[in-house]
Amino acid sequence: MALTVGTIAPSFTTTDDTGKTVSLSDFQGKVVVLYFYPKDDTPGCTKQAQSFRDNYEQYQDKEIVVFGVSRDDQGSHAQFKEKYSLPFQLLVDTDGAITKAYDVDGGGYSKRVTYIIDAEGKISYMDDKVNTASHASDILCVVG
């Protein structure tokens, strides 16, 4: 069962697709969209990433941080990001620690679940019924 609205978002520190260290605490005071997906460069995951890519300017205009998270490694993330010109960071979770902390473990992969974390670090929205093609637009409607 995914985490519920009102829960304090579990903190994490990991690396991104470039090897840079990323901690959730670095984004305190900002709204963060943390979207979990099963695997780089698969049809549904690609549609979902492209949805965020195509709407990314609107996220930037609202100063919303977008992170994609899967259990793939840095090399896989880097290739996926380059292949589809993704402008946001993909976070590495090869050991599944973030996936487990956010209760989206599908048994070796991350389930397709998105959390919106508010500026105070609480989960303000959770979506586990993702439409991959329109997902980024759907989330923008939620954040206003």
Side-chain angles (χ1 to χ4, degrees), residues 33 35 47-48 50-52 54-56 58-59 62 64 112 114-116 125-144:
V33 172
Y35 85 89
K47 276 185 194 171
Q48 186 177 16
Q50 289 172 320
S51 173
F52 279 106
D54 296 346
N55 289 277
Y56 190 66
Q58 293 176 66
Y59 281 90
K62 296 176 183 289
I64 298 170
R112 194 178 311 278
T114 298
Y115 291 101
I116 299 173
Y125 180 79
M126 185 277 297
D127 183 359
D128 62 357
K129 308 239 185 304
V130 173
N131 176 331
T132 57
S134 65
H135 189 56
S137 298
D138 299 341
I139 294 297
L140 278 169
C141 288
V142 171
V143 293

Coordinates of all heavy atoms in Angstrom, one line a residue, residues 33 35 47-48 50-52 54-56 58-59 62 64 112 114-116 125-144:
V33 N 7.8 16.6 -7.4 CA 7.1 15.5 -8.0 C 8.0 14.4 -8.1 O 9.1 14.5 -8.8 CB 6.5 15.9 -9.4 CG1 5.9 14.6 -10.0 CG2 5.5 17.0 -9.2
Y35 N 8.2 10.7 -9.2 CA 7.5 9.6 -9.9 C 8.3 8.4 -10.0 O 9.4 8.4 -10.5 CB 6.9 10.1 -11.2 CG 7.8 10.1 -12.4 CD1 7.8 9.0 -13.3 CD2 8.5 11.2 -12.8 CE1 8.6 8.9 -14.4 CE2 9.3 11.2 -14.0 CZ 9.3 10.0 -14.7 OH 10.1 10.0 -15.9
K47 N 6.6 6.7 -22.5 CA 5.5 7.6 -22.7 C 5.4 8.5 -21.5 O 5.2 9.7 -21.6 CB 4.2 6.9 -22.8 CG 3.8 6.4 -24.2 CD 2.4 5.8 -24.2 CE 2.2 5.0 -25.4 NZ 1.0 4.2 -25.4
Q48 N 5.5 8.0 -20.3 CA 5.4 8.8 -19.1 C 6.5 9.8 -19.0 O 6.3 11.0 -18.7 CB 5.5 7.8 -17.8 CG 5.2 8.5 -16.5 CD 5.2 7.5 -15.4 OE1 5.6 6.4 -15.5 NE2 4.7 8.0 -14.2
Q50 N 8.3 11.0 -21.5 CA 8.0 12.0 -22.5 C 6.9 13.0 -22.1 O 7.0 14.2 -22.5 CB 7.7 11.4 -23.8 CG 8.9 10.6 -24.5 CD 8.5 9.8 -25.6 OE1 7.4 9.1 -25.7 NE2 9.3 9.8 -26.7
S51 N 6.0 12.5 -21.4 CA 4.9 13.4 -20.9 C 5.5 14.5 -20.0 O 5.2 15.7 -20.1 CB 3.8 12.6 -20.1 OG 2.9 13.4 -19.5
F52 N 6.4 14.1 -19.1 CA 7.0 15.1 -18.2 C 7.9 16.0 -19.0 O 8.0 17.2 -18.8 CB 7.8 14.4 -17.1 CG 6.9 14.0 -15.9 CD1 6.6 12.7 -15.7 CD2 6.4 15.0 -15.1 CE1 5.8 12.3 -14.6 CE2 5.6 14.7 -14.0 CZ 5.3 13.3 -13.8
D54 N 7.6 16.9 -22.2 CA 6.8 17.8 -23.0 C 6.1 18.9 -22.2 O 5.8 19.9 -22.7 CB 5.8 17.0 -23.8 CG 6.5 16.1 -24.8 OD1 7.7 16.2 -25.1 OD2 5.8 15.2 -25.3
N55 N 6.0 18.7 -20.9 CA 5.3 19.6 -20.0 C 6.3 20.3 -19.0 O 5.9 21.1 -18.2 CB 4.2 19.0 -19.2 CG 3.0 18.6 -20.0 OD1 2.2 19.4 -20.3 ND2 3.0 17.4 -20.5
Y56 N 7.6 20.0 -19.2 CA 8.6 20.4 -18.2 C 8.7 21.9 -18.0 O 8.9 22.4 -16.9 CB 10.0 19.8 -18.6 CG 11.0 20.0 -17.5 CD1 10.9 19.3 -16.3 CD2 12.1 20.9 -17.7 CE1 11.8 19.5 -15.3 CE2 13.0 21.0 -16.7 CZ 12.9 20.3 -15.5 OH 13.8 20.5 -14.5
Q58 N 6.3 24.1 -18.0 CA 5.3 24.5 -17.1 C 5.6 24.1 -15.6 O 5.3 24.9 -14.7 CB 4.0 23.8 -17.5 CG 3.4 24.3 -18.8 CD 2.1 23.5 -19.1 OE1 1.1 23.6 -18.5 NE2 2.2 22.7 -20.2
Y59 N 6.3 23.0 -15.4 CA 6.8 22.7 -14.1 C 7.9 23.7 -13.6 O 7.8 24.1 -12.5 CB 7.4 21.3 -14.1 CG 6.3 20.2 -14.0 CD1 5.8 19.7 -15.2 CD2 5.9 19.7 -12.8 CE1 4.8 18.7 -15.1 CE2 4.9 18.7 -12.7 CZ 4.4 18.2 -13.9 OH 3.4 17.3 -13.8
K62 N 6.4 26.9 -12.5 CA 5.8 26.9 -11.2 C 6.9 26.5 -10.1 O 6.5 26.3 -9.0 CB 4.7 25.8 -11.2 CG 3.5 26.1 -12.1 CD 2.5 25.0 -12.1 CE 1.4 25.3 -13.0 NZ 0.5 26.3 -12.6
I64 N 8.5 23.8 -9.7 CA 8.3 22.4 -9.2 C 9.5 21.6 -9.7 O 9.8 21.6 -10.9 CB 7.0 21.9 -9.7 CG1 5.8 22.7 -9.2 CG2 6.8 20.4 -9.3 CD1 4.5 22.4 -9.8
R112 N 4.5 1.8 -10.6 CA 4.2 3.1 -11.2 C 3.3 3.9 -10.3 O 2.1 3.8 -10.3 CB 3.5 3.0 -12.6 CG 3.5 4.2 -13.4 CD 2.9 4.0 -14.8 NE 3.4 2.9 -15.5 CZ 4.5 2.8 -16.2 NH1 5.3 3.9 -16.3 NH2 4.9 1.7 -16.8
T114 N 3.1 8.0 -8.3 CA 3.7 9.3 -8.2 C 3.2 10.0 -7.0 O 2.1 9.9 -6.6 CB 3.2 10.2 -9.4 OG1 3.7 9.6 -10.6 CG2 3.7 11.6 -9.4
Y115 N 4.2 10.7 -6.3 CA 3.9 11.5 -5.1 C 4.2 12.9 -5.4 O 5.2 13.3 -6.1 CB 4.8 11.0 -4.0 CG 4.5 9.7 -3.4 CD1 5.3 8.6 -3.8 CD2 3.5 9.5 -2.5 CE1 5.1 7.3 -3.3 CE2 3.2 8.2 -2.0 CZ 4.0 7.1 -2.4 OH 3.7 5.9 -1.9
I116 N 3.3 13.8 -4.9 CA 3.7 15.2 -4.8 C 4.0 15.5 -3.4 O 3.2 15.2 -2.5 CB 2.5 16.1 -5.3 CG1 2.1 15.8 -6.7 CG2 2.8 17.6 -5.1 CD1 0.8 16.5 -7.2
Y125 N -0.2 14.6 -2.3 CA -1.0 13.9 -3.3 C -0.3 12.6 -3.7 O 0.9 12.5 -3.7 CB -1.2 14.7 -4.6 CG -2.0 14.1 -5.7 CD1 -3.4 14.0 -5.6 CD2 -1.4 13.5 -6.8 CE1 -4.1 13.5 -6.7 CE2 -2.1 12.9 -7.8 CZ -3.5 12.9 -7.8 OH -4.2 12.3 -8.8
M126 N -1.1 11.5 -4.0 CA -0.5 10.2 -4.4 C -1.4 9.7 -5.6 O -2.6 9.8 -5.5 CB -0.5 9.2 -3.3 CG 0.1 7.9 -3.6 SD -0.9 6.7 -4.4 CE -2.2 6.4 -3.2
D127 N -0.7 9.3 -6.7 CA -1.4 8.7 -7.8 C -0.8 7.4 -8.1 O 0.3 7.2 -8.5 CB -1.2 9.7 -9.0 CG -2.0 9.2 -10.2 OD1 -2.7 8.1 -10.2 OD2 -1.9 9.9 -11.3
D128 N -1.7 6.3 -8.0 CA -1.2 5.0 -8.4 C -2.1 4.4 -9.5 O -2.0 3.3 -9.8 CB -1.3 4.1 -7.1 CG -2.7 3.9 -6.6 OD1 -3.6 4.5 -7.1 OD2 -2.8 3.1 -5.6
K129 N -2.8 5.3 -10.2 CA -3.6 4.9 -11.4 C -3.2 5.8 -12.5 O -4.0 6.6 -13.1 CB -5.1 5.1 -11.1 CG -5.5 4.4 -9.8 CD -6.6 3.4 -10.1 CE -7.2 2.8 -8.8 NZ -6.3 2.1 -7.9
V130 N -1.9 5.7 -12.9 CA -1.3 6.6 -13.8 C -1.7 6.3 -15.3 O -1.6 5.2 -15.7 CB 0.3 6.5 -13.7 CG1 1.0 7.3 -14.8 CG2 0.7 6.9 -12.3
N131 N -2.1 7.4 -16.0 CA -2.2 7.3 -17.5 C -0.9 7.8 -18.0 O -0.6 9.0 -17.9 CB -3.4 8.2 -17.9 CG -3.5 8.2 -19.4 OD1 -2.5 8.1 -20.2 ND2 -4.7 8.4 -19.9
T132 N -0.1 6.9 -18.5 CA 1.3 7.3 -18.9 C 1.4 8.4 -19.9 O 2.3 9.2 -19.9 CB 2.1 6.1 -19.4 OG1 1.4 5.5 -20.5 CG2 2.3 5.0 -18.3
A133 N 0.4 8.4 -20.9 CA 0.5 9.4 -21.9 C 0.1 10.9 -21.4 O 0.7 11.8 -21.9 CB -0.5 9.0 -23.1
S134 N -0.7 11.0 -20.5 CA -1.2 12.3 -20.0 C -0.7 12.6 -18.6 O -1.2 13.6 -18.0 CB -2.7 12.4 -20.1 OG -3.3 11.4 -19.2
H135 N 0.1 11.8 -18.0 CA 0.5 11.9 -16.6 C 0.9 13.2 -16.1 O 0.5 13.8 -15.2 CB 1.5 10.8 -16.2 CG 1.7 10.7 -14.7 ND1 0.6 10.5 -13.9 CD2 2.8 10.8 -14.0 CE1 1.1 10.4 -12.6 NE2 2.4 10.6 -12.7
A136 N 1.9 13.8 -16.9 CA 2.4 15.1 -16.4 C 1.4 16.2 -16.5 O 1.3 17.0 -15.6 CB 3.6 15.5 -17.3
S137 N 0.5 16.2 -17.4 CA -0.6 17.1 -17.5 C -1.6 16.9 -16.3 O -2.1 17.9 -15.7 CB -1.4 17.0 -18.8 OG -0.6 17.3 -19.9
D138 N -1.8 15.6 -16.1 CA -2.7 15.3 -14.9 C -2.2 15.8 -13.6 O -2.9 16.4 -12.8 CB -2.9 13.8 -14.8 CG -3.6 13.2 -16.1 OD1 -4.2 13.9 -16.9 OD2 -3.4 11.9 -16.2
I139 N -0.9 15.7 -13.4 CA -0.2 16.2 -12.2 C -0.3 17.7 -12.1 O -0.5 18.3 -11.1 CB 1.2 15.6 -12.0 CG1 1.2 14.1 -11.9 CG2 2.0 16.3 -10.9 CD1 0.5 13.6 -10.6
L140 N -0.1 18.3 -13.3 CA -0.1 19.8 -13.3 C -1.5 20.3 -12.9 O -1.6 21.3 -12.2 CB 0.2 20.3 -14.7 CG 1.7 20.5 -15.0 CD1 1.9 20.7 -16.5 CD2 2.4 21.5 -14.2
C141 N -2.5 19.6 -13.3 CA -3.9 20.0 -12.9 C -4.1 19.9 -11.4 O -4.8 20.7 -10.8 CB -4.9 19.1 -13.6 SG -5.1 19.4 -15.3
V142 N -3.4 18.9 -10.7 CA -3.5 18.8 -9.3 C -2.8 19.9 -8.6 O -3.3 20.5 -7.6 CB -2.9 17.4 -8.8 CG1 -2.8 17.3 -7.3 CG2 -3.7 16.3 -9.4
V143 N -1.6 20.3 -9.0 CA -0.8 21.3 -8.3 C -1.3 22.7 -8.7 O -1.0 23.7 -8.0 CB 0.7 21.2 -8.6 CG1 1.3 20.0 -8.0 CG2 1.0 21.3 -10.1
G144 N -2.1 22.9 -9.7 CA -2.7 24.1 -10.0 C -1.9 25.1 -10.8 O -0.9 25.4 -10.8

